[in-house]
C-alpha cells in the first residue's frame, strides 16, 4: 500500500505538518479522559517514556495498517506487559483511540470520511488482535 492510498499514514502525515510533537497533545488528552493513567507514569523521565511509548505505538499502528513487516507485533507484546502491570485491556485499547482522536482534532476539516472509516476499521482490528494475543 503506498502512502497516497493509506488513510492512516495520511492522517499522521497531515498531523505532522500541523504539530511538531504529538506527545504533549496525546498525553494531555489521555490524562483528561483517563485521569487514572497519570499515576502510571513516574515523574522522573516521564516525558522521555511518554515520547518513546508514543513513537513505538505509531510505528506499530503504521505497520499494522500497512504491510505488517513486524513492528505491529509490538502490540501483542505490550498487551502482555501491560497485563502484567495490571493495566485493564480497555485502557490499553483506549490509548489507540486517544491517538485517533488527537489526530482528528489536529486535522479538523482535513479529517475525511475515508480517514474516519480507516481508523474505525483499524481500531476494531487492533482490539481483536489484542484480544487474541492472550
Amino acid at each position: 500500500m503506498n502512502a497516497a492510498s493509506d488513510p492512516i499514514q495520511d492522517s499522521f502525515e497531515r498531523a505532522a505538518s500541523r504539530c511538531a510533537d504529538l506527545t504533549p497533545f496525546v498525553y494531555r488528552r489521555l490524562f483528561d479522559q483517563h485521569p487514572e493513567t497519570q499515576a502510571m507514569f513516574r515523574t522522573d523521565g516521564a516525558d522521555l517514556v511518554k515520547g518513546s511509548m508514543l513513537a513505538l505505538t505509531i510505528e506499530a499502528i503504521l505497520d499494522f495498517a500497512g504491510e505488517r513487516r513486524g513492528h505491529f507485533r509490538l502490540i501483542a507484546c505490550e498487551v502482555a506487559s501491560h497485563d502484567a502491570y495490571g493495566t485493564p485491556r480497555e485502557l490499553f485499547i483506549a490509548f489507540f483511540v486517544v491517538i485517533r482522536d488527537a489526530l482528528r482534532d489536529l486535522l479538523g476539516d482535513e479529517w475525511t470520511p475515508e480517514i474516519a472509516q480507516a481508523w474505525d476499521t483499524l481500531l476494531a482490528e487492533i482490539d481483536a488482535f489484542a484480544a487474541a494475543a492472550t
Side-chain angles (χ1 to χ4, degrees):
M1 185 177 287
N2 65 37
S5 66
D6 182 355
I8 300 298
Q9 183 171 342
D10 185 44
S11 67
F12 280 107
E13 289 173 356
R14 290 179 190 215
S17 72
R18 294 173 179 235
C19 177
D21 183 6
L22 287 173
T23 307
F25 195 65
V26 167
Y27 282 91
R28 183 172 35 251
R29 177 180 282 280
L30 177 67
F31 297 154
D32 286 349
Q33 291 181 1
H34 303 279
E36 70 277 19
T37 60
Q38 198 157 8
M40 296 175 172
F41 292 88
R42 62 178 192 212
T43 54
D44 293 337
D47 289 342
L48 292 175
V49 170
K50 290 186 278 190
S52 175
M53 185 171 135
L54 181 59
L56 290 171
T57 303
I58 291 170
E59 284 180 35
I61 288 170
L62 291 172
D63 191 44
F64 193 89
E67 296 180 3
R68 296 196 184 180
R69 293 186 174 187
H71 285 83
F72 78 95
R73 290 186 180 100
L74 177 72
I75 296 168
C77 295
E78 289 303 317
V79 165
S81 69
H82 282 74
D83 279 350
Y85 296 141
T87 303
R89 180 71 43 83
E90 299 78 25
L91 191 54
F92 178 83
I93 296 300
F95 188 62
F96 294 93
V97 175
V98 165
I99 292 169
R100 187 258 334 253
D101 292 349
L103 293 173
R104 185 188 60 224
D105 287 354
L106 280 170
L107 268 56
D109 293 346
E110 290 185 53
W111 186 261
T112 66
E114 179 185 33
I115 292 172
Q117 180 58 50
W119 270 99
D120 289 347
T121 300
L122 178 73
L123 292 173
E125 290 175 356
I126 287 173
D127 190 32
F129 182 73
T134 55

